[in-house]
Amino acid sequence: LIAADGEAPVAGIRNIRGGSGGSINIEAVVLEGDGVIKANGSKSDSDDRVGGGGRIAVKVWNADTSNLSVSAYSGGGNPYYGSYGGAGTIYREKPGGITKLTISQPLQMSGESAGYTLASSSNMGSSSINLSDMALNNSRVRFDGIEKFRIDGQALFTGVNFIEDSKGEGGFGGGVLLPAYNKIEIATMTLPASANLTLSGATLRVSSLTALGTVTLDSVDGWLGSVLEQTGTSQWTIGSLIVKGGSKVTHKANSSQKQYAVNMRVLGDMT
C-alpha cells in the first residue's frame, strides 16, 4: 500500500539556466490519497533557457482510489528568446491494463515558440505504443523512433497542440476532435468506421489516411477554416467527407503527377 498524501516534488532548481524536472516512478498494489505529485521544470533568473518538465509514471495493479494532482510542467520562459521548455510526460496505468498518457502545459506556455516534448523509443521503452487514452493540453510533441502508436479510447486535445511524427503510424480507435489552431503532422493515420475525425479550425498533414467513419472539416466563427493536406501520393480512403465553408482539402507532394489533384476515394457521401 502506498498512500500518496502530501507532496512529492521533484522540481528543477531555478538558476541562471532553469533545471529540468526529475523522474518519479510509483508502482503499487493499492494506491489511495489526495496528494500532489509534480516534476516541474524551473524558470531561469533571466527567463532564458528554462527547464523542461520531468517524467512521472504511476502503475497500480489491484485498486486505485486515489485523487492525485499530478503535473510535469516546464518552467515557462520568455517567448522573445524562444525559450519555452517542453512539457514532461505523465503515464498512468490502472488495474485492468487501463493506460493513459498526459502531456500538459499551462496556457501561457503554449504556442509555436514552446519547446518540444520528445517521445522517443528510448524514453517510452518501445517503438510501439498502445494506450487506452491520451490527453494533450497546450503542448508540442515530437515522436522519434516510434513506428506505431495507438489510442483505443479517447484522444483529448485541449488548448493549442502540435504533433510531429514524420515516419510513424497513428491509430485512433475512439475518434479525434482537433480544436482551433491545433496542428498534426503524421505519416500514416487510421480510424475505424466507428470513429470520426473532426477538424475545427485545425490542420492535419498526413501522407496515408484511412478514415472509415466521417471526416468533417469545420470552421470557427465563420472565418477560421480547417486544412486537410495530403503530403504523399498514396490514395486516401475516407468513409464520408464533409467540407464546410472556409475549409479545404489540399495537397503537397503530388506536383510531379497532377499538380492540383488530391488522390482519395470516398466510400459514402461527400458534401
Side-chain angles (χ1 to χ4, degrees):
L1 169 66
I2 296 178
D5 292 315
E7 292 196 5
V10 184
I13 299 174
R14 181 167 179 160
N15 207 319
I16 296 176
R17 297 183 179 180
S20 296
S23 298
I24 297 175
N25 184 32
I26 297 175
E27 297 187 13
V29 175
V30 177
L31 182 65
E32 60 184 28
D34 300 308
V36 177
I37 300 175
K38 56 186 178 181
N40 300 333
S42 70
K43 292 184 178 181
S44 66
D45 290 338
S46 62
D47 259 352
D48 188 15
R49 300 190 182 187
V50 303
R55 309 280 176 171
I56 297 175
V58 181
K59 301 178 182 179
V60 183
W61 291 291
N62 283 359
D64 186 352
T65 61
S66 65
N67 182 26
L68 303 175
S69 173
V70 186
S71 65
Y73 301 142
S74 80
N78 189 333
Y80 177 79
Y81 298 107
S83 58
Y84 286 76
T89 59
I90 300 169
Y91 175 80
R92 300 287 302 268
E93 184 172 333
K94 296 194 173 186
I98 300 171
T99 57
K100 182 176 182 179
L101 176 66
T102 300
I103 302 174
S104 179
Q105 287 279 67
L107 177 61
Q108 66 267 26
M109 298 181 191
S110 67
E112 295 202 46
S113 60
Y116 273 103
T117 299
L118 180 63
S120 67
S121 54
S122 58
N123 62 37
M124 298 299 291
S126 175
S127 61
S128 181
I129 302 173
N130 292 283
L131 299 168
S132 303
D133 300 294
M134 181 180 72
L136 297 186
N137 177 59
N138 292 313
S139 297
R140 304 186 77 187
V141 182
R142 176 177 292 162
F143 290 95
D144 181 33
I146 303 295
E147 297 175 1
K148 280 187 177 183
F149 68 92
R150 178 171 179 80
I151 297 96
D152 292 320
Q154 184 180 40
L156 179 63
F157 296 84
T158 54
V160 179
N161 300 281
F162 303 86
I163 295 181
E164 179 182 307
D165 183 1
S166 59
K167 297 180 180 180
E169 175 184 344
F172 297 86
V176 176
L177 169 60
L178 284 181
Y181 302 107
N182 280 243
K183 296 180 181 179
I184 292 182
E185 298 180 1
I186 190 170
T188 302
M189 189 172 189
T190 59
L191 297 95
S194 59
N196 296 325
L197 170 63
T198 302
L199 310 184
S200 184
T203 298
L204 172 61
R205 297 186 175 98
V206 58
S207 177
S208 176
L209 175 64
T210 301
L212 301 180
T214 299
V215 176
T216 302
L217 308 186
D218 206 349
S219 60
V220 176
D221 298 328
W223 65 272
L224 179 61
S226 297
V227 178
L228 179 58
E229 182 179 286
Q230 190 172 48
T231 59
T233 57
S234 60
Q235 186 180 72
W236 289 352
T237 301
I238 295 174
S240 297
L241 178 63
I242 301 172
V243 181
K244 299 186 178 181
S247 299
K248 62 182 178 180
V249 180
T250 183
H251 71 90
K252 178 179 180 180
N254 59 355
S255 58
S256 62
Q257 297 180 15
K258 295 181 179 179
Q259 187 171 1
Y260 300 104
V262 175
N263 185 10
M264 67 178 176
R265 178 172 60 133
V266 179
L267 305 176
D269 297 330
M270 184 168 63
T271 58

